[in-house]
Amino acid sequence: MLDHTGFPLEITGETTPMVSFRKVRKSYGALTVLKNLDLDIAEGEMVSIIGPSGSGKTTVLRMLMTLEQIDDGVIYVDGQPLTHMPKQGRLVRANERHLRNRRADIGMCFQHFNLFPHMTALENCMEGPVQVLGLSKAEARDRSEELLELVGMISKKDQRPSRLSGGQQQRVAIARALAMRPKVMLFDEVTSALDPEVIGEVTNVIRKLVSEHNLTMLMVTHQMGFARDISDRVCFFYGGKIEEQGPPAELFGNPQRERTQQFLSAVREAV
Amino acid sequence: MFDWKWDFVWEILPRLLVATGNTLLAAGAGYAIALVLGLVFALAQRTPYRALTFVVREFVEFIRSTPLLLQIFFVFYVGPQFGLRLSPWTSGMIAIGLHYACYLSEVYRGGIESVPRGQWEAATALNMTITQKYRRVIIPQAIPTALSGMGNYLVGILKDTPMLSVIGVAELIHVANSIGSEHYRFLEPITMVGIIFLAISLPAAGLIRLFEGRVRRKLGL
């Protein structure tokens, strides 16, 4: 069933993508950062977004996390509209209640970690499960300790973020997001603020998630090698749209578009 | 020149101590009102309702730009014209509570705005409600920033309680003035009031600073 503007009220069928951007447009005042973005991400798929700064990469994640409102189009998560809700057979802009229902499927890690400074690593992880999901303290503690174990931070569970290094904070932030059991995880330049020697400890955690869990992941990164290693698909953003996308071996090995070639060679020179 | 009379001091001390109780009560009650109402004013200015924000902001500006004495007079003397007949204590508490609520709302606002945007975004990513965001994430981090301002206004409200004497609240200045008129001696009562204020303000300021440090450490900041 279609909305009057031509958007489906929900996406059904066996190949329903986990995330679907349909003709999404976003501008800040006169500046259009994304024009007519169409992007489907399958369940369990790991998609990396690369591109020059200002190409709208981060905005894609922020819109999906509902930190930014979109100006046009619809975003679907697990077949259901996220940015909109059905009302009398048409899609209207989502209210806070609808957003809270749909947002539960999505988790996000930020460039600057954004851990709560007044809580320990464990409390950071327990906060969402206890307050938002209504888990008992004991359940939330078990779940959080398991995840802190996964990210290798269990020995620091009672430390405040100010006592942790950047890499350690980011690993706690990953555990905190996972504690909400999202279907989709978003990684927004999670290694950009880190010292080179600790980047590995964060990327290793993400590698582990890719190989051992069936999470759908969307990652914005400047680390081409990492993106090449772990992604199922890489999207190169340029000027507010996807200039080129494909499996990492193809996109990195044999880029078709001139802009992609220029960007990749510029990045290689910088290394 | 100075004929300080100790026996007069001892004679009036009990009355001054009762008045000290009233001063502390007025400051405490006024401050309690201001703490709560100030938070309401601060949060009201952060809702998406433009009209509410506008009205509250203008009200806060109005109160902050007019003298406290005028506000006390207004509630006490003009109130009855609108059928609002209040005792000196009640009028005084309303006036001084409102006055300081407006100052405190700015202190809270500064504290809330000092919390980085990333904290709001992390709270959204955890799917918190707006109430949970304030209660669990924002306010605990806003408090350390707001504390020094809050402490200053606690001392401020204490020093402003003498204004209530003009409508007959039996606080320190009021009582000292009565004693002076009764005995034609002002030196001792007024000096004593000064010493009493000092004896309250100085330790209070020290305690506030101590408390501030403890809260900061407790919140790990």
Side-chain angles (χ1 to χ4, degrees):
Chain A
M1 198 170 150
L2 292 183
D3 173 50
H4 68 296
T5 48
F7 291 104
L9 291 180
E10 57 178 346
I11 305 174
T12 53
E14 272 184 25
T15 54
T16 302
M18 182 51 81
V19 175
S20 185
F21 290 83
R22 300 278 174 105
K23 293 195 178 8
V24 172
R25 194 173 59 79
K26 173 73 189 171
S27 24
Y28 298 106
L31 178 75
T32 303
V33 279
L34 286 168
K35 21 189 134 152
N36 272 332
L37 174 68
D38 282 309
L39 176 63
D40 280 2
I41 299 164
E43 188 178 350
E45 192 179 15
M46 170 65 168
V47 175
S48 291
I49 297 177
I50 60 169
S53 58
S55 59
K57 314 182 292 286
T58 287
T59 308
V60 174
L61 299 196
R62 294 177 57 81
M63 293 187 312
L64 187 49
M65 192 66 256
T66 70
L67 298 174
E68 307 276 354
Q69 278 207 350
I70 63 174
D71 296 321
D72 229 328
V74 181
I75 302 175
Y76 298 84
V77 173
D78 205 8
Q80 301 296 318
L82 166 77
T83 51
H84 293 71
M85 55 184 187
K87 192 177 177 186
Q88 291 159 354
R90 50 190 290 188
L91 288 176
V92 298
R93 207 169 265 286
N95 58 20
E96 182 57 29
R97 194 171 151 187
H98 178 83
L99 287 179
R100 283 208 70 232
N101 277 329
R102 305 304 314 150
R103 199 150 49 198
D105 287 343
I106 310 160
M108 181 163 180
C109 295
F110 301 87
Q111 180 177 359
H112 297 288
F113 336 126
N114 301 350
L115 289 177
F116 304 134
H118 54 300
M119 300 180 193
T120 64
L122 181 64
E123 286 166 347
N124 263 281
C125 296
M126 290 172 61
E127 185 64 15
V130 171
Q131 300 293 330
V132 179
L133 304 181
L135 260 62
S136 74
K137 283 236 164 104
E139 286 173 292
R141 179 181 303 269
D142 286 349
R143 181 186 284 194
S144 302
E145 286 182 343
E146 203 174 291
L147 289 164
L148 286 171
E149 185 81 57
L150 174 86
V151 300
M153 285 297 294
I154 193 72
S155 61
K156 304 264 185 191
K157 70 183 165 91
D158 295 321
Q159 299 285 342
R160 290 256 167 72
S162 55
R163 297 244 166 244
L164 303 175
S165 72
Q168 293 172 329
Q169 289 190 54
Q170 194 61 285
R171 287 187 281 153
V172 173
I174 293 173
R176 174 176 73 172
L178 290 173
M180 300 299 283
R181 300 267 155 91
K183 295 177 182 164
V184 184
M185 271 289 280
L186 311 178
F187 296 99
D188 184 14
E189 300 192 25
V190 289
T191 56
S192 297
L194 299 180
D195 290 331
E197 72 272 19
V198 299
I199 287 177
E201 61 189 60
V202 172
T203 53
N204 282 339
V205 167
I206 299 176
R207 270 177 220 275
K208 198 143 80 172
L209 292 180
V210 171
S211 60
E212 295 171 13
H213 296 260
N214 191 37
L215 268 169
T216 306
M217 291 189 251
L218 190 51
M219 172 172 87
V220 170
T221 186
H222 293 293
Q223 288 185 280
M224 299 306 147
F226 182 51
R228 182 174 190 153
D229 276 2
I230 67 159
S231 310
D232 298 310
R233 177 160 45 126
V234 178
C235 297
F236 172 65
F237 269 71
Y238 189 90
K241 53 185 177 46
I242 301 176
E243 180 79 12
E244 185 171 353
Q245 59 176 315
E250 280 174 33
L251 191 117
F252 288 111
N254 185 21
Q256 301 298 307
R257 311 278 297 202
E258 203 187 329
R259 301 243 194 246
T260 320
Q261 293 160 3
Q262 284 169 353
F263 174 75
L264 289 176
S265 68
V267 169
R268 276 185 200 115
E269 270 168 36
V271 172
Chain B
M1 179 96 180
F2 278 132
D3 58 352
W4 179 269
K5 288 194 175 152
W6 282 105
D7 48 349
F8 185 49
V9 170
W10 304 129
E11 186 193 328
I12 62 173
L13 193 60
R15 280 177 78 185
L16 286 177
L17 287 181
V18 171
T20 306
N22 282 343
T23 289
L24 287 176
L25 184 66
Y31 195 63
I33 294 172
L35 279 180
V36 176
L37 216 54
L39 187 60
V40 173
F41 289 167
L43 295 181
Q45 292 181 59
R46 297 186 59 93
T47 61
Y49 310 109
R50 293 267 174 86
L52 180 68
T53 302
F54 177 78
V55 169
V56 173
R57 180 160 303 159
E58 291 305 307
F59 178 76
V60 167
E61 272 315 301
F62 172 72
I63 294 282
R64 294 198 323 146
S65 326
T66 52
L68 172 59
L69 194 56
L70 173 91
Q71 292 154 17
I72 294 171
F73 275 154
F74 196 86
V75 176
F76 188 64
Y77 291 118
V78 184
Q81 305 240 327
F82 298 97
L84 204 68
R85 211 167 286 281
L86 301 168
S87 73
W89 265 96
T90 314
S91 325
M93 290 303 91
I94 290 175
I96 214 165
L98 263 181
H99 187 82
Y100 274 91
C102 291
Y103 279 99
L104 280 178
S105 78
E106 293 293 298
V107 171
Y108 289 136
R109 218 160 58 99
I112 290 170
E113 279 166 12
S114 74
V115 179
R117 200 179 58 160
Q119 294 290 312
W120 289 94
E121 293 180 348
T124 302
L126 289 180
N127 208 8
M128 287 185 173
T129 63
I130 185 75
T131 319
Q132 288 167 339
K133 288 179 193 175
Y134 273 113
R135 196 167 55 83
R136 303 289 307 175
V137 178
I138 305 303
I139 296 203
Q141 293 182 65
I143 284 175
T145 314
L147 265 184
S148 66
M150 289 165 74
N152 287 343
Y153 285 125
L154 176 59
V155 176
I157 204 167
L158 179 77
K159 290 193 297 177
D160 270 352
T161 48
M163 301 240 191
L164 299 175
S165 64
V166 297
I167 54 170
V169 172
E171 52 64 64
L172 271 169
I173 295 280
H174 189 81
V175 170
N177 198 31
S178 308
I179 294 172
S181 320
E182 289 161 24
H183 296 83
Y184 305 105
R185 283 193 68 86
F186 285 91
L187 173 65
E188 290 84 357
I190 299 293
T191 311
M192 294 291 290
V193 169
I195 293 169
I196 291 172
F197 266 109
L198 208 63
I200 300 171
S201 298
L202 283 183
L207 283 176
I208 289 163
R209 222 164 299 134
L210 223 69
F211 179 68
E212 229 183 290
R214 269 191 53 177
V215 169
R216 268 175 204 281
R217 267 196 302 285
K218 189 144 185 278
L219 295 174
L221 300 168

